[in-house]
Amino acid sequence: MAVFQKSFVLFMASLCFCFSSFPTASTQNQGTATFFSPPYVPSACYGNEDKGQSIASASTEIWNNGNVCGQIYHFTCVSVPSTQLGSGCLGTSWPVMVVDHCLGCNTTFGLSQEVFRYLADTNAGEITISYT
């Protein structure tokens, strides 16, 4: 019985080691975000279909020929640049669906005004974000 227990423990340990070497879906990325105001249609991904307020537009570096349409990202405010106004990050995280291409954006994402308001003071205008 002791041999079985040792074998089982070694097997489980090796299994854990194998799975720990795979990349996880929760890899944190950093970028910047600003916000846009309603109306939120039309969008490059869904035309005139209203996808609500928990939405974002992706910069060309994220856009990937539209393959990012419908992807859900979780955004967290990391910091507000010292050159911006506002009271800073609010310490919340929020799930957001990409619905549009932010052509000519100087930020990684454009967030709906409502989402931005969950993450930071809108007076900041632009924030540094982490996203998964």
Side-chain angles (χ1 to χ4, degrees), residues 42-100:
S43 69
C45 299
Y46 299 101
N48 287 316
E49 187 179 338
D50 185 358
K51 289 297 186 179
Q53 298 176 343
S54 193
I55 56 173
S57 59
S59 65
T60 300
E61 71 181 86
I62 303 291
W63 181 244
N64 192 19
N65 295 317
N67 290 323
V68 74
C69 287
Q71 293 287 329
I72 304 291
Y73 288 91
H74 290 265
F75 293 98
T76 304
C77 178
V78 174
S79 66
V80 174
S82 60
T83 57
Q84 303 295 324
L85 299 173
S87 59
C89 296
L90 300 177
T92 58
S93 180
W94 203 259
V96 180
M97 181 194 310
V98 173
V99 299
D100 210 353

Side-chain angles (χ1 to χ4, degrees), residues 14-24:
S14 64
L15 191 61
C16 289
F17 176 75
C18 289
F19 284 116
S20 68
S21 63
F22 287 106
T24 63

